[in-house]
Amino acid sequence: MKVGYFCGYLPPELIRSAGGEPVLLEPEGKRVKLGEKYFPTPFCPFSKVFLDNLLSGSWEKVGTLLFTRSCDASRRLYETVSSLPGGESSFLLDLPHEVGPLAWNYFAHQLKKLAHFLLDRTGKSEKAMLSDLEQEVKSSLIIRRKLTEEYQAGRLPGAVFLGKEGGSPPDFPRVVRGGLPLFLIASHLWVRDLIGLLEKKSILVFEDTPLGSRRWLLRENTTFLLPPEEDPFLSLSRLYLEWKAPCPRGPWRERLAFIQEMTRKLGVRGVVYFYPKFCDFSLYELKIVRDELSLPVLSLEYDTLPNLAQWETRLEAFLEVLTP
Amino acid sequence: MITAGIDVGSQSTGVVIQKDGQILSFALCLTGIDPRKRAKESLKEALEKASLSPEKLDCRIATGYSRHQVEADRTVSEISAQAKGAAFLFPKARGLIDIGGQDTKVVLLSSGGKVVDFLMNDKCAAGTGRFLELMAQVLEISLTDFGKLVAQAQREVELSSTCAVFAQSELVGLIAQGKKKEDLSRAVCQAVVDQVANMVERIGLVPPVVFTGGVAKNQGVASLLEKRLGFSLLIPPEPQITAALGASLVL
Amino acid sequence: MKEKTQQNLVKFISFLSRRKSLFTLLGGYEWWLKKKWPSPDLAQTSYLLTIHSIRELYQRKKPVVWTSLFFPSEFIWAGSMVPFYPEIASGLVAALRWSDFPLRSSFQKWVSADLCSYHRLSLGMSLLKLFPRPDFLIATNTICQGTVGFFQTLAQLWRVPFYLIDVPFADFSASEKYISYQLESLAQNLSQEWGIRFRWEQVFSCSNQTRAVIKDIENLRKQKTIILAPPTKNLDYLPYYYQFMGTRASLSFFTQLLAQLSLTEPSSCHRLLWLHLKPFYPNPVPEWLEKNNLGVAFEEFASLYPGELSSREPFSSLARKILYSWQLTVGRKRISHVLQLVQEFEVQGVVQFNQWGCRQSQGMNFPLRQALRKQEIPFLELDGDQIDQNHRSDEQWKTRIQALAEMLEGNR
Ligand SMILES: Nc1ncnc2c1ncn2[C@@H]1O[C@H](COP(=O)(O)OP(=O)(O)O)[C@@H](O)[C@H]1O
Ligand code: SF4
Ligand code: SF4
Ligand code: SF4
């Protein structure tokens, strides 16, 4: 059973151990024609493009769709999808905003609910799922630690993390060419196009995106070896809420600390902030990044279509400032 | 009973004189900067065409953007007026798309021609006649050229901005890249069509649908809109006087 | 006013606003006003309360807590703190025709114009240091997740702690527990770090009494001939529904409103249900509604948690109050709530003022329109911005309102 998802807080470990095949959904940017009627003009372009892809049959083989309560748009997207024909097979994972034991327990409970939702559909037994899950979490941690090290050492630039398959980690290490190192903070749309553009300008891109590294990397201060919890759901919950690289939705202190740490370790010369118009979290984060980071920031905005020509012009101007 | 419908739009002013369901005459001109004066002149013109003296009029009903500024016995909103006019010309119509200079309206009609629901463009949307005018200036073409140019377009070009200001600069950029006028004209019309089609889909119009307003004269938009919606549109012979006609019929 | 003069004036006012002792003087004025109006009417009550709040907020004898609309003020009053609702205060600033300057200030500091203008304006007022300095921030993300970004940015600007009460969207009992735990640990935290002690009884009983009066008002408004005029006026009373709940101020305000409402002349206008809020800067929408014989029978934001707050279980009852806001923000729940209000208040049309930067409310318009269409209730959207005048489009509003009236006239 193919299980589609896009939010980095949806654990492929859980999908796999419940007998599903995780598919990371990466909508292609086409002219939004089927999706737009559901949402007003000032609304998250990702949601529109996502619906467009869904309705035009890009993911026909993906029967089950998972969403999270990450922002207002993603909630509405879930509500819209679940009201369409076939909507019963979509699920909203309630993702807490808070950190700390209360939130971990709450999220563990929600993950359990998701597991049951999936088991009902795959027919796998709960017992088998539990033992698989423990294994999944263990090996996931090992891979993540390794990836984090490699990334911080500057050996995983470019689009290596971006993969269509939900579960598989990128290959590493790679032979890395030189170039001007920049940190790219982006959302779900047109990440590949932009990385391509940056690389064309011989930039060494270190991406921080929900399709790529942010799904894999761990925070700096997570010094642990094995899941410390008895309950694999609690381990999984902590892995995602406490250890995984945070998203712009916060918690912002941790998020800012993460960005500061990464940009310092990677020794980047500037930040490219590539964000969707009408995405509240990005809009707020952009302000905080500008205020708190002592690096030059280039902000590039988009709506429902890529605008490579315009981005290129702005990028060139930015590069001229960086390398006089 | 003899009535006059006066539609004072942002771009054009139309007057229709009507007697018991018969159109006696009409007048159409640009609104300009003095809507009050222009409305008066148009009414005079229409009355002359119908060989009527002003006293013969039982009622003057104003509609359109500046309806509150002109001399009239009562006013009616453009939505109701357009709906009335469209239903009069095409009794079977179940929907209406009106693209004027300033606003775009999409109206769902009942089988009796009553307004069931309507939407108007939000402020940032590009789907209005004014947008086409601005883009025509950038392309250095006249509004009437759109139809011909769109028909000759070959390559797919898309505007990524729906905001008029950004679209303008994007267009300048595309011209600089050497993109063809024909293809760009189609991209401009397509941008309008996509905005309007979203509204049509949001409200759920089903054919037969009437298309009115000055932009209904733009064959580029009309043909692309039909293509996008998948059905053909009913366009009155003079699409800019439907509101005036409707207003003359509200009593 | 010239930009330069404006800036100097702002500097001067913000300098004054930081002189706490200055606001002690207001105490005398307040005393004098109370003498002058021994039994104040609604407008006088509001004026007195404004003066009193300004004194409390700027004099800072008690901790000042900034919070969001759906965080219950009872919690704050019970801890002898003073709540400040930046979203409500933004409405006030706009009503005073002074929104442009703070909006511009926030834009200059990289606050995008596509964000919610309640938040943008509050950030501007914070950058200018004109809003009262908070001691800490408490917010819920129940109505919109954007609130989190907003409060995080406030925390960054003012360099004060921010406590988020995270409101989930799962099953009711799990959600109730999760919120009530959070409230409890917040209360513990506040008493340890700020020495705050909570006394629930008085505040809760006052809130419950007020709730009963509001219920009576609601019942009265369900009568077909009762209309609170001018249209949308009730939204100006928002502070009493939210900020002052749990205080005598709200109780006496609503008692007066009830008395006044029972004396109103019967009205025969078309009855509307008003969703979301309204533009707070001076604007002709109410006038046009009235001209077109349209009245607002009820407002979505006036529907309050119908249950009691109990000092025996303060945290769970507050959690239930917070969760009531699901009626405004969870898609299906909101739609069925709206349909229920349509029936109870016998309205003929529903109006929503679309706030440009508000994703959560507008993101639901499609299914809402469909649901209302099934009941043959027209749904009118007015697009614009409730705080930022730059997005206003009076002519369109006029046309849309007139068209709605004509539709209702035709349906009569
Ligand atoms: N002959 C024409 N060919 C193509 N487009 C036209 C023509 N005449 C008018 N238009 C378009 O119609 C718009 C004006 O529409 P109109 O219905 O007159 O506006 P309003 O109702 O606001 O007065 C113009 O902005 C222009 O784009
Ligand atoms: S940005 Fe982060 S939290 Fe938001 S949907 Fe993407 S992965 Fe999830
Ligand atoms: S986080 Fe931003 S881009 Fe992602 S779904 Fe939410 S609004 Fe859209
Ligand atoms: S208007 Fe919308 S976005 Fe703004 S605070 Fe209210 S719910 Fe949030």
Side-chain angles (χ1 to χ4, degrees):
Chain A
M1 183 178 75
K2 285 192 196 294
V3 181
Y5 68 103
F6 59 87
C7 178
Y9 287 89
L10 261 160
E13 294 90 343
L14 181 64
I15 301 175
R16 262 195 307 269
S17 46
E21 182 193 331
V23 183
L24 182 65
L25 302 175
E26 189 184 338
E28 318 255 310
K30 345 177 191 178
R31 185 83 198 171
V32 176
K33 294 206 167 144
L34 298 163
E36 183 118 355
K37 73 170 179 185
Y38 295 97
F39 297 123
T41 306
F43 201 79
C44 159
F46 168 75
S47 303
K48 293 178 182 177
V49 177
F50 182 94
L51 261 185
D52 203 33
N53 275 253
L54 182 67
L55 295 172
S56 59
S58 303
W59 304 313
E60 248 164 9
K61 298 205 176 73
V62 182
T64 307
L65 293 174
L66 307 182
F67 299 82
T68 54
R69 188 240 314 173
S70 72
C71 60
D72 293 321
S74 67
R75 268 168 59 201
R76 295 291 171 255
L77 180 61
Y78 161 74
E79 287 171 351
T80 306
V81 171
S82 66
S83 69
L84 296 171
E88 325 72 68
S89 53
S90 51
F91 184 94
L92 181 75
L93 175 67
D94 197 35
L95 174 63
H97 245 294
E98 268 300 78
V99 281
L102 264 178
W104 302 335
N105 282 318
Y106 179 77
F107 192 46
H109 180 70
Q110 299 307 316
L111 288 169
K112 213 172 283 176
K113 272 178 37 186
L114 170 58
H116 284 128
F117 171 85
L118 292 170
L119 291 178
D120 281 351
R121 282 162 176 74
T122 58
K124 191 167 167 176
S125 82
E126 188 168 350
K127 210 169 145 217
M129 186 256 321
L130 280 174
S131 74
D132 285 355
L133 183 59
E134 236 181 286
Q135 215 36 59
E136 284 279 353
V137 175
K138 267 186 204 161
S139 50
S140 163
L141 271 173
I142 295 167
I143 297 168
R144 283 164 189 268
R145 287 185 61 220
K146 181 81 180 136
L147 284 172
T148 309
E149 265 165 37
E150 293 293 321
Y151 182 83
Q152 288 178 345
R155 284 194 289 267
L156 291 171
V160 278
F161 279 95
L162 278 74
K164 286 235 173 192
E165 273 149 78
S168 45
D171 305 327
F172 57 87
R174 290 205 319 171
V175 187
V176 178
R177 288 167 290 114
L180 182 77
L182 291 183
F183 196 62
L184 167 67
I185 302 179
S187 183
H188 296 251
L189 284 180
W190 302 303
V191 178
R192 281 171 208 278
D193 299 275
L194 194 73
I195 292 181
L197 181 64
L198 289 163
E199 289 187 333
K200 203 173 90 188
K201 304 272 168 205
S202 29
I203 287 167
L204 197 58
V205 199
F206 294 97
E207 54 89 15
D208 167 61
T209 75
L211 289 171
S213 75
R214 217 187 280 152
R215 293 175 42 240
W216 291 100
L217 301 186
L218 297 174
R219 294 181 205 175
E220 181 52 19
N221 49 5
T222 45
T223 48
F224 49 84
L225 285 169
L226 284 174
E229 307 285 351
E230 295 271 302
D231 175 2
F233 285 107
L234 198 53
S235 313
L236 194 63
S237 162
R238 295 188 62 179
L239 169 57
Y240 277 82
L241 291 186
E242 192 187 4
W243 302 329
K244 188 186 87 68
C247 266
R249 73 192 286 275
W252 73 279
R253 282 175 206 283
E254 282 79 351
R255 169 77 179 146
L256 184 63
F258 175 80
I259 298 175
Q260 279 166 334
E261 186 70 43
M262 287 298 169
T263 48
R264 192 177 57 79
K265 285 223 160 116
L266 292 165
V268 293
R269 298 278 302 282
V271 175
V272 178
Y273 201 94
F274 184 56
Y275 66 101
K277 205 169 161 64
F278 311 119
C279 166
D280 295 342
F281 285 125
S282 301
L283 296 176
Y284 279 118
E285 186 178 73
L286 176 58
K287 171 170 173 50
I288 290 183
V289 163
R290 280 201 183 270
D291 287 350
E292 306 278 331
L293 229 58
S294 45
L295 280 169
V297 178
L298 167 70
S299 43
L300 296 176
E301 183 186 76
Y302 56 81
D303 199 349
T304 52
L305 271 178
N307 191 345
L308 280 160
Q310 198 203 36
W311 301 335
E312 186 164 357
T313 317
R314 312 233 357 233
L315 181 64
E316 277 166 8
F318 183 65
L319 292 178
E320 275 163 27
V321 177
L322 278 187
T323 49
Chain B
M1 193 162 63
I2 304 176
T3 57
I6 309 166
D7 168 24
V8 204
S10 68
Q11 304 262 325
S12 62
T13 294
V15 173
V16 170
I17 312 275
Q18 173 267 142
K19 185 186 179 192
D20 308 324
Q22 288 276 315
I23 300 174
L24 298 182
S25 69
F26 75 86
L28 181 66
C29 65
L30 291 175
T31 303
I33 49 161
D34 190 350
R36 208 184 158 83
K37 187 161 151 239
R38 207 41 71 84
K40 232 182 204 160
E41 289 167 4
S42 302
L43 180 60
K44 197 164 149 236
E45 186 193 328
L47 283 169
E48 274 165 12
K49 276 192 198 161
S51 322
L52 283 173
S53 62
E55 304 82 63
K56 283 271 159 58
L57 275 184
D58 294 302
C59 191
R60 292 163 305 173
I61 305 111
T63 185
Y65 199 72
S66 306
R67 63 189 176 284
H68 296 289
Q69 282 158 39
V70 302
E71 265 173 57
D73 303 300
R74 57 173 290 186
T75 67
V76 62
S77 75
E78 298 101 286
I79 313 265
S80 312
Q82 287 284 5
K84 263 254 155 33
F88 176 82
L89 296 171
F90 304 98
K92 290 221 167 78
R94 297 301 300 271
L96 164 75
I97 300 170
D98 173 72
I99 313 181
Q102 202 80 302
D103 315 309
T104 295
K105 306 162 197 97
V106 173
V107 187
L108 180 69
L109 299 170
S110 72
S111 49
K114 277 202 174 138
V115 177
V116 177
D117 202 352
F118 67 89
L119 284 177
M120 282 173 84
N121 62 299
D122 57 61
K123 207 179 163 215
C124 112
T128 62
R130 183 84 193 118
F131 177 82
L132 289 163
E133 285 176 46
L134 288 171
M135 299 305 135
Q137 273 172 22
V138 177
L139 291 171
E140 294 175 352
I141 60 171
S142 95
L143 281 171
T144 42
D145 296 339
F146 271 117
K148 190 173 75 232
L149 291 169
V150 169
Q152 289 163 359
Q154 282 169 337
R155 274 209 194 118
E156 190 84 20
V157 181
E158 284 192 300
L159 287 181
S160 72
S161 329
T162 45
C163 165
V165 182
F166 290 120
Q168 222 165 341
S169 72
E170 193 179 345
L171 204 54
V172 172
L174 290 168
I175 293 171
Q177 281 175 31
K179 293 271 191 302
K180 279 208 167 131
K181 223 170 228 186
E182 290 81 2
D183 301 332
L184 292 175
S185 303
R186 180 165 72 185
V188 165
C189 292
Q190 190 65 48
V192 172
V193 164
D194 285 335
Q195 292 288 323
V196 176
N198 285 333
M199 290 167 66
V200 172
E201 282 159 11
R202 223 168 268 177
I203 205 168
L205 287 195
V206 284
V209 172
V210 183
F211 183 20
T212 64
V215 178
K217 290 182 175 167
N218 182 325
Q219 273 147 28
V221 172
S223 63
L224 290 171
L225 188 57
E226 288 182 334
K227 198 165 147 216
R228 163 79 200 263
L229 294 174
F231 52 79
S232 50
L233 297 162
L234 305 167
I235 303 177
E238 180 43 83
Q240 271 169 303
I241 57 159
T242 352
L245 171 64
S248 77
L249 292 163
V250 291
L251 285 187
Chain C
M1 223 185 302
K2 280 231 180 71
E3 186 82 18
K4 197 86 195 193
T5 349
Q6 183 109 308
Q7 274 169 5
N8 288 333
L9 188 70
V10 165
K11 272 193 202 134
F12 181 62
I13 298 176
S14 84
F15 170 80
L16 287 183
S17 74
R18 271 169 282 163
R19 298 287 153 302
K20 293 190 213 168
S21 49
L22 210 69
F23 291 88
T24 326
L25 297 176
L26 278 180
Y29 179 49
E30 237 182 279
W31 175 84
W32 180 77
L33 281 176
K34 272 189 195 142
K35 285 224 94 138
K36 191 171 139 200
W37 302 322
S39 50
D41 62 20
L42 276 188
Q44 290 164 347
T45 310
S46 287
Y47 185 69
L48 268 167
L49 192 62
T50 312
I51 298 294
H52 180 73
S53 306
I54 290 179
R55 183 160 66 90
E56 276 206 311
L57 287 165
Y58 289 92
Q59 198 181 4
R60 307 195 42 211
K61 285 205 168 144
K62 300 172 180 169
V64 172
V65 186
W66 284 30
T67 187
S68 62
L69 210 52
F70 289 90
F71 183 78
S73 54
E74 291 92 340
F75 182 95
I76 298 171
W77 293 119
S80 289
M81 304 172 269
V82 189
F84 177 75
Y85 286 80
E87 285 138 333
I88 291 182
S90 309
L92 250 135
V93 174
L96 296 170
R97 300 168 195 265
W98 206 70
S99 50
D100 282 358
F101 195 73
L103 285 173
R104 228 176 315 136
S105 316
S106 68
F107 187 73
Q108 282 159 4
K109 292 282 177 198
W110 295 100
V111 176
S112 160
D114 289 320
L115 286 166
C116 170
S117 53
Y118 288 95
H119 297 159
R120 288 197 283 134
L121 184 125
S122 305
L123 289 170
M125 291 297 277
S126 302
L127 284 161
L128 298 169
K129 298 282 187 270
L130 288 178
F131 272 172
R133 188 188 161 71
D135 289 292
F136 47 85
L137 318 166
I138 305 177
T140 70
N141 52 351
T142 173
I143 182 88
C144 63
Q145 308 290 316
T147 312
V148 182
F150 168 52
F151 272 85
Q152 283 173 352
T153 314
L154 284 177
Q156 179 221 13
L157 279 180
W158 290 101
R159 306 273 162 196
V160 292
F162 165 39
Y163 306 101
L164 173 70
I165 300 297
D166 183 30
V167 179
F169 289 86
D171 50 300
F172 191 87
S173 71
S175 303
E176 185 198 314
K177 252 191 227 139
Y178 179 48
I179 298 175
S180 126
Y181 285 149
Q182 290 181 71
L183 289 172
E184 195 169 347
S185 80
L186 172 63
Q188 271 169 12
N189 208 330
L190 292 181
S191 43
Q192 274 160 20
E193 299 199 1
W194 298 83
I196 283 160
R197 304 232 345 255
F198 289 87
R199 293 180 199 82
W200 306 108
E201 253 110 296
Q202 209 192 336
V203 171
F204 279 10
S205 111
C206 188
S207 165
N208 290 338
Q209 280 175 54
T210 314
R211 183 68 198 88
V213 181
I214 293 178
K215 193 84 216 158
D216 289 343
I217 294 179
E218 253 178 61
N219 285 334
L220 207 56
R221 296 183 79 190
K222 283 179 189 165
Q223 291 178 22
K224 257 202 123 156
T225 55
I226 302 263
I227 281 286
L228 203 157
T232 73
K233 180 69 189 165
N234 198 33
L235 291 173
D236 292 336
Y237 306 148
L238 229 49
Y240 300 98
Y241 283 97
Y242 295 93
Q243 187 172 353
F244 298 108
M245 269 309 260
T247 69
R248 306 288 310 169
S250 269
L251 181 56
S252 67
F253 176 85
F254 285 116
T255 313
Q256 282 191 56
L257 184 64
L258 178 63
Q260 188 185 315
L261 201 60
S262 15
L263 298 177
T264 50
E265 299 276 311
S267 141
S268 61
C269 62
H270 295 290
R271 295 167 66 80
L272 302 177
L273 173 68
W274 193 273
L275 304 184
H276 207 273
L277 299 172
K278 62 165 181 176
F280 282 102
Y281 44 82
N283 73 84
V285 168
E287 185 192 318
W288 288 329
L289 289 168
E290 235 168 5
K291 255 194 198 149
N292 283 288
N293 198 29
L294 301 169
V296 175
F298 194 64
E299 308 79 15
E300 183 183 28
F301 271 62
S303 45
L304 283 196
Y305 172 55
E308 299 256 302
L309 294 179
S310 146
S311 45
R312 262 175 295 127
E313 34 158 28
F315 302 116
S316 359
S317 58
L318 284 170
R320 285 193 289 275
K321 176 163 179 171
I322 292 177
L323 278 174
Y324 187 71
S325 56
W326 274 359
Q327 316 292 336
L328 278 81
T329 184
V330 175
R332 285 195 191 117
K333 292 208 167 67
R334 180 171 185 234
I335 290 169
S336 56
H337 183 60
V338 166
L339 293 178
Q340 193 191 333
L341 294 177
V342 164
Q343 271 206 339
E344 285 179 0
F345 289 85
E346 298 189 46
V347 303
Q348 290 125 302
V350 176
V351 182
Q352 170 165 287
F353 192 96
N354 286 334
Q355 158 84 339
W356 177 258
C358 183
R359 321 291 167 229
Q360 68 88 10
S361 58
Q362 294 187 71
M364 243 188 266
N365 288 356
F366 184 80
L368 186 59
R369 176 176 292 280
Q370 283 189 324
L372 287 166
R373 166 109 39 96
K374 267 195 204 130
Q375 315 269 322
E376 295 185 16
I377 299 287
F379 175 46
L380 180 73
E381 293 176 53
L382 296 176
D383 294 306
D385 194 293
Q386 299 168 359
I387 298 291
D388 188 348
Q389 302 216 36
N390 295 317
H391 283 291
R392 69 192 284 176
S393 43
D394 297 32
E395 286 308 320
Q396 272 224 3
W397 299 342
K398 208 190 245 176
T399 304
R400 295 186 197 195
I401 289 170
Q402 192 176 2
L404 175 69
E406 287 160 358
M407 274 168 81
L408 294 177
E409 228 23 79
N411 293 347
R412 220 172 211 187

